[in-house]
Amino acid sequence: MNRIVRPVSGVLLRRLALASIIANVAIVVTGGAVRLTASGLGCPTWPRCTDDSYVTTPEMGVYGVIEFSNRMLAFAVGLIALATVLAVLTHRPRRPGLLPLSIAVFLGIPAQAVVGGITVLTNLNPWVVGLHFLASMAVIVAAYALWRRIGDPDGPTVAAVPTPLRALARITTGVTVAVLVIGTWVTGSGPHAGDHGAARNGLDPEAISQVHADGVFLLIGLSVALIFAFRAADARRATRAAIVLVAVELSQGLIGFVQYFTHVPALLVGAHMLGSCLVLLAALAVQWSTRERHPVPPAPQPTPAPEAQPVPA
Protein backbone atom coordinates (compact mmCIF):
# COMPACT_ATOMS: atom_id res chain seq x y z
CA MET A 1 0.00 0.00 0.00
CA ASN A 2 1.47 3.32 -1.07
CA ARG A 3 1.91 5.91 1.63
CA ILE A 4 0.65 9.40 0.90
CA VAL A 5 3.28 12.12 1.38
CA ARG A 6 1.58 15.11 2.91
CA PRO A 7 2.71 18.50 1.62
CA VAL A 8 4.74 20.62 4.01
CA SER A 9 3.08 23.81 5.25
CA GLY A 10 4.58 27.21 4.52
CA VAL A 11 4.91 27.89 8.25
CA LEU A 12 7.04 24.77 8.80
CA LEU A 13 9.13 25.58 5.75
CA ARG A 14 9.87 29.09 7.04
CA ARG A 15 10.73 27.73 10.49
CA LEU A 16 13.19 25.27 8.98
CA ALA A 17 14.83 28.08 7.02
CA LEU A 18 15.09 30.18 10.19
CA ALA A 19 16.56 27.20 12.05
CA SER A 20 19.16 26.90 9.31
CA ILE A 21 20.20 30.53 9.82
CA ILE A 22 20.48 30.06 13.58
CA ALA A 23 22.41 26.80 13.22
CA ASN A 24 24.92 28.33 10.83
CA VAL A 25 25.47 31.29 13.15
CA ALA A 26 25.96 28.81 16.00
CA ILE A 27 28.63 26.91 14.09
CA VAL A 28 30.50 30.19 13.53
CA VAL A 29 30.43 30.90 17.26
CA THR A 30 31.45 27.36 18.26
CA GLY A 31 34.19 27.45 15.62
CA GLY A 32 35.44 30.57 17.34
CA ALA A 33 35.39 28.70 20.65
CA VAL A 34 37.62 26.05 19.08
CA ARG A 35 40.14 28.69 18.08
CA LEU A 36 39.91 30.71 21.30
CA THR A 37 40.52 27.66 23.50
CA ALA A 38 43.54 26.65 21.37
CA SER A 39 41.68 23.48 20.34
CA GLY A 40 42.15 23.94 16.62
CA LEU A 41 44.37 20.87 16.43
CA GLY A 42 42.51 18.96 19.13
CA CYS A 43 41.83 16.50 16.31
CA PRO A 44 45.17 16.70 14.49
CA THR A 45 43.96 15.30 11.17
CA TRP A 46 40.88 15.24 8.92
CA PRO A 47 38.41 13.70 8.15
CA ARG A 48 39.46 11.37 10.97
CA CYS A 49 40.16 12.72 14.41
CA THR A 50 43.38 10.69 14.62
CA ASP A 51 45.09 8.40 12.13
CA ASP A 52 43.29 5.44 13.69
CA SER A 53 39.99 6.89 14.93
CA TYR A 54 37.14 8.98 13.59
CA VAL A 55 36.26 10.08 17.14
CA THR A 56 38.23 11.72 19.91
CA THR A 57 40.19 9.57 22.33
CA PRO A 58 40.78 10.04 26.09
CA GLU A 59 44.44 10.82 25.45
CA MET A 60 43.45 13.93 23.48
CA GLY A 61 41.84 15.52 26.55
CA VAL A 62 39.48 18.47 26.52
CA TYR A 63 40.98 19.97 23.35
CA GLY A 64 39.99 16.91 21.38
CA VAL A 65 36.48 17.00 22.83
CA ILE A 66 36.01 20.67 21.86
CA GLU A 67 37.27 20.20 18.31
CA PHE A 68 35.31 16.96 17.78
CA SER A 69 32.12 18.55 19.14
CA ASN A 70 32.39 21.32 16.57
CA ARG A 71 32.72 18.71 13.84
CA MET A 72 29.62 16.93 15.10
CA LEU A 73 27.68 20.18 15.10
CA ALA A 74 28.38 20.45 11.39
CA PHE A 75 26.44 17.22 10.90
CA ALA A 76 23.48 18.67 12.81
CA VAL A 77 23.58 21.79 10.65
CA GLY A 78 23.67 19.57 7.57
CA LEU A 79 20.64 17.61 8.73
CA ILE A 80 18.66 20.82 9.15
CA ALA A 81 19.64 21.88 5.64
CA LEU A 82 18.67 18.45 4.26
CA ALA A 83 15.31 18.65 6.03
CA THR A 84 14.78 22.06 4.43
CA VAL A 85 15.50 20.69 0.95
CA LEU A 86 13.03 17.84 1.49
CA ALA A 87 10.45 20.29 2.82
CA VAL A 88 10.83 22.43 -0.30
CA LEU A 89 10.39 19.36 -2.52
CA THR A 90 7.20 18.28 -0.74
CA HIS A 91 5.66 21.74 -0.48
CA ARG A 92 2.56 22.24 -2.58
CA PRO A 93 2.18 24.19 -4.69
CA ARG A 94 5.79 24.25 -5.87
CA ARG A 95 7.27 27.70 -5.45
CA PRO A 96 9.85 29.15 -7.85
CA GLY A 97 13.32 29.91 -6.54
CA LEU A 98 13.17 27.90 -3.32
CA LEU A 99 14.83 24.70 -4.49
CA PRO A 100 18.06 26.30 -5.83
CA LEU A 101 18.49 28.30 -2.62
CA SER A 102 17.86 25.31 -0.35
CA ILE A 103 20.32 23.19 -2.35
CA ALA A 104 22.90 26.01 -2.16
CA VAL A 105 22.62 26.02 1.64
CA PHE A 106 22.85 22.22 1.79
CA LEU A 107 25.89 21.99 -0.49
CA GLY A 108 27.56 24.94 1.21
CA ILE A 109 27.82 23.05 4.50
CA PRO A 110 30.05 20.18 3.25
CA ALA A 111 32.05 22.72 1.25
CA GLN A 112 32.58 24.71 4.44
CA ALA A 113 33.54 21.49 6.25
CA VAL A 114 36.13 20.70 3.57
CA VAL A 115 37.69 24.13 4.05
CA GLY A 116 37.70 23.41 7.79
CA GLY A 117 39.52 20.16 7.09
CA ILE A 118 42.11 22.02 5.04
CA THR A 119 42.72 24.36 7.99
CA VAL A 120 43.65 21.31 10.08
CA LEU A 121 45.80 19.74 7.35
CA THR A 122 47.67 23.05 6.91
CA ASN A 123 48.25 23.36 10.68
CA LEU A 124 45.81 26.27 11.00
CA ASN A 125 47.20 28.45 8.26
CA PRO A 126 45.68 31.86 9.14
CA TRP A 127 44.63 32.59 5.55
CA VAL A 128 42.78 29.29 5.32
CA VAL A 129 41.21 29.87 8.75
CA GLY A 130 39.90 33.20 7.46
CA LEU A 131 38.52 31.49 4.36
CA HIS A 132 36.79 28.97 6.64
CA PHE A 133 35.02 31.81 8.42
CA LEU A 134 34.04 33.51 5.17
CA ALA A 135 32.66 30.23 3.79
CA SER A 136 30.35 30.06 6.80
CA MET A 137 29.23 33.63 6.14
CA ALA A 138 28.42 32.72 2.53
CA VAL A 139 26.18 29.89 3.75
CA ILE A 140 24.46 32.33 6.12
CA VAL A 141 23.76 34.63 3.15
CA ALA A 142 22.15 31.77 1.22
CA ALA A 143 20.14 30.68 4.27
CA TYR A 144 18.89 34.22 4.83
CA ALA A 145 17.94 34.59 1.16
CA LEU A 146 15.96 31.34 1.40
CA TRP A 147 14.17 32.49 4.57
CA ARG A 148 13.18 35.80 3.02
CA ARG A 149 12.12 34.19 -0.27
CA ILE A 150 9.80 31.81 1.59
CA GLY A 151 8.10 34.74 3.29
CA ASP A 152 7.63 36.70 0.05
CA PRO A 153 4.81 36.24 -2.44
CA ASP A 154 5.63 34.72 -5.83
CA GLY A 155 4.74 37.76 -7.90
CA PRO A 156 7.09 40.21 -9.63
CA THR A 157 9.74 42.16 -7.71
CA VAL A 158 9.35 45.92 -7.59
CA ALA A 159 11.58 48.64 -6.14
CA ALA A 160 10.51 50.04 -2.76
CA VAL A 161 12.95 52.97 -2.91
CA PRO A 162 14.39 55.09 -5.74
CA THR A 163 17.17 53.56 -7.83
CA PRO A 164 20.01 55.71 -6.34
CA LEU A 165 19.08 54.52 -2.84
CA ARG A 166 19.11 50.89 -3.98
CA ALA A 167 22.62 51.51 -5.31
CA LEU A 168 23.64 53.06 -1.97
CA ALA A 169 22.28 50.00 -0.15
CA ARG A 170 24.29 47.70 -2.43
CA ILE A 171 27.44 49.74 -1.77
CA THR A 172 26.80 49.47 1.98
CA THR A 173 26.44 45.70 1.68
CA GLY A 174 29.69 45.55 -0.30
CA VAL A 175 31.51 47.56 2.37
CA THR A 176 30.08 45.20 5.00
CA VAL A 177 31.63 42.24 3.19
CA ALA A 178 34.94 44.08 2.87
CA VAL A 179 34.97 44.83 6.61
CA LEU A 180 34.38 41.13 7.34
CA VAL A 181 37.22 40.10 5.04
CA ILE A 182 39.65 42.60 6.60
CA GLY A 183 38.49 41.38 10.01
CA THR A 184 39.84 37.92 9.16
CA TRP A 185 43.21 39.52 8.41
CA VAL A 186 43.15 41.19 11.82
CA THR A 187 42.37 37.84 13.41
CA GLY A 188 45.17 36.17 11.48
CA SER A 189 47.66 38.68 12.84
CA GLY A 190 46.46 38.48 16.45
CA PRO A 191 47.22 36.19 19.38
CA HIS A 192 44.39 33.64 19.08
CA ALA A 193 45.82 31.26 16.50
CA GLY A 194 43.81 28.18 17.48
CA ASP A 195 46.94 26.36 18.63
CA HIS A 196 50.03 27.47 20.50
CA GLY A 197 52.29 26.51 17.58
CA ALA A 198 50.19 27.87 14.71
CA ALA A 199 51.71 30.51 12.46
CA ARG A 200 50.43 34.07 12.03
CA ASN A 201 49.90 35.85 8.70
CA GLY A 202 52.77 38.28 9.20
CA LEU A 203 50.71 41.48 8.98
CA ASP A 204 51.33 44.22 11.52
CA PRO A 205 48.46 43.90 14.05
CA GLU A 206 48.22 47.63 14.75
CA ALA A 207 48.33 48.66 11.09
CA ILE A 208 45.74 46.14 9.89
CA SER A 209 43.52 46.90 12.90
CA GLN A 210 43.56 50.57 11.85
CA VAL A 211 42.54 49.59 8.31
CA HIS A 212 39.72 47.53 9.77
CA ALA A 213 38.62 50.43 11.99
CA ASP A 214 38.63 52.80 9.01
CA GLY A 215 36.37 50.38 7.15
CA VAL A 216 34.02 50.27 10.13
CA PHE A 217 33.82 54.09 10.23
CA LEU A 218 33.01 54.13 6.52
CA LEU A 219 30.34 51.47 7.01
CA ILE A 220 28.68 53.34 9.87
CA GLY A 221 28.73 56.57 7.85
CA LEU A 222 27.05 54.88 4.88
CA SER A 223 24.48 53.26 7.15
CA VAL A 224 23.59 56.57 8.81
CA ALA A 225 23.26 58.12 5.35
CA LEU A 226 20.82 55.34 4.47
CA ILE A 227 18.62 56.25 7.43
CA PHE A 228 18.26 59.87 6.31
CA ALA A 229 17.89 58.93 2.64
CA PHE A 230 15.21 56.32 3.29
CA ARG A 231 13.38 58.68 5.62
CA ALA A 232 13.41 61.40 2.96
CA ALA A 233 11.95 58.90 0.50
CA ASP A 234 9.27 57.95 3.05
CA ALA A 235 10.44 54.32 2.91
CA ARG A 236 9.49 53.31 6.44
CA ARG A 237 10.39 49.63 6.24
CA ALA A 238 13.81 50.44 4.80
CA THR A 239 14.34 53.17 7.43
CA ARG A 240 13.65 50.72 10.26
CA ALA A 241 16.07 48.20 8.73
CA ALA A 242 18.80 50.86 8.45
CA ILE A 243 18.28 51.93 12.07
CA VAL A 244 18.71 48.33 13.21
CA LEU A 245 21.86 48.05 11.10
CA VAL A 246 23.42 51.14 12.70
CA ALA A 247 22.52 49.88 16.20
CA VAL A 248 24.17 46.51 15.50
CA GLU A 249 27.22 48.20 13.97
CA LEU A 250 27.69 50.50 16.96
CA SER A 251 27.41 47.55 19.37
CA GLN A 252 29.88 45.54 17.30
CA GLY A 253 32.25 48.50 17.06
CA LEU A 254 32.13 48.99 20.82
CA ILE A 255 33.05 45.34 21.37
CA GLY A 256 35.87 45.69 18.86
CA PHE A 257 37.38 48.75 20.52
CA VAL A 258 37.11 47.27 24.01
CA GLN A 259 38.76 44.03 22.96
CA TYR A 260 41.56 45.95 21.24
CA PHE A 261 42.35 48.10 24.27
CA THR A 262 42.04 45.15 26.69
CA HIS A 263 44.55 43.03 24.71
CA VAL A 264 41.99 40.85 22.91
CA PRO A 265 40.43 38.70 25.66
CA ALA A 266 38.95 35.46 24.34
CA LEU A 267 35.42 36.11 25.60
CA LEU A 268 35.15 39.44 23.76
CA VAL A 269 36.61 37.91 20.60
CA GLY A 270 33.83 35.31 20.70
CA ALA A 271 31.23 38.05 21.14
CA HIS A 272 32.79 39.92 18.22
CA MET A 273 32.42 36.85 15.99
CA LEU A 274 28.74 36.62 16.89
CA GLY A 275 28.44 40.33 16.19
CA SER A 276 29.96 39.82 12.73
CA CYS A 277 27.12 37.44 11.87
CA LEU A 278 24.54 39.90 13.17
CA VAL A 279 26.05 42.79 11.18
CA LEU A 280 25.88 40.70 8.01
CA LEU A 281 22.27 39.72 8.67
CA ALA A 282 21.30 43.33 9.40
CA ALA A 283 22.97 44.49 6.17
CA LEU A 284 21.08 41.83 4.24
CA ALA A 285 17.84 42.99 5.86
CA VAL A 286 18.51 46.50 4.56
CA GLN A 287 19.18 45.11 1.09
CA TRP A 288 15.90 43.19 1.09
CA SER A 289 13.99 46.23 2.36
CA THR A 290 14.74 48.12 -0.84
CA ARG A 291 12.52 45.82 -2.90
CA GLU A 292 9.32 43.92 -2.44
CA ARG A 293 7.34 41.23 -4.18
CA HIS A 294 3.70 41.55 -5.05
CA PRO A 295 1.28 38.61 -5.08
CA VAL A 296 0.76 36.83 -8.37
CA PRO A 297 -2.07 38.59 -10.22
CA PRO A 298 -5.12 36.41 -10.71
CA ALA A 299 -5.50 34.73 -14.07
CA PRO A 300 -7.95 36.51 -16.38
CA GLN A 301 -11.32 34.84 -16.52
CA PRO A 302 -12.46 33.71 -19.99
CA THR A 303 -15.18 35.84 -21.51
CA PRO A 304 -18.38 33.79 -21.81
CA ALA A 305 -19.50 33.16 -25.35
CA PRO A 306 -22.65 35.03 -26.41
CA GLU A 307 -25.83 32.99 -26.39
CA ALA A 308 -26.92 31.72 -29.76
CA GLN A 309 -29.89 33.59 -31.21
CA PRO A 310 -32.81 31.54 -32.55
CA VAL A 311 -32.99 31.41 -36.33
CA PRO A 312 -36.35 32.72 -37.60
CA ALA A 313 -38.51 30.17 -39.47
Side-chain angles (χ1 to χ4, degrees), residues 5 35 44 59 61 106 108 250 255 267 273 275 286 301 303:
V5 179
R35 180 170 59 86
E59 293 77 15
F106 177 67
L250 291 176
I255 294 173
L267 185 61
M273 293 186 69
V286 170
Q301 298 295 324
T303 304

Side-chain angles (χ1 to χ4, degrees), residues 159-183:
V161 299
T163 300
L165 300 191
R166 297 190 72 187
L168 181 59
R170 285 193 291 268
I171 292 172
T172 304
T173 303
V175 173
T176 301
V177 174
V179 167
L180 293 175
V181 172
I182 298 173

Side-chain angles (χ1 to χ4, degrees), residues 147-254:
W147 178 69
R148 291 299 298 258
R149 182 64 187 88
I150 293 171
D152 286 342
D154 292 329
T157 302
V158 296
V161 299
T163 300
L165 300 191
R166 297 190 72 187
L168 181 59
R170 285 193 291 268
I171 292 172
T172 304
T173 303
V175 173
T176 301
V177 174
V179 167
L180 293 175
V181 172
I182 298 173
T184 65
W185 303 348
V186 176
T187 298
S189 69
H192 299 290
D195 185 79
H196 298 297
R200 301 284 72 205
N201 60 20
L203 298 177
D204 180 70
E206 291 190 7
I208 196 62
S209 294
Q210 184 60 57
V211 173
H212 182 58
D214 292 341
V216 171
F217 289 138
L218 174 61
L219 177 58
I220 293 175
L222 289 171
S223 303
V224 171
L226 281 175
I227 294 177
F228 289 102
F230 288 154
R231 182 172 293 176
D234 198 26
R236 297 182 181 181
R237 187 166 66 99
T239 301
R240 288 194 298 268
I243 290 173
V244 171
L245 175 60
V246 171
V248 175
E249 289 168 350
L250 291 176
S251 300
Q252 174 74 337
L254 177 61

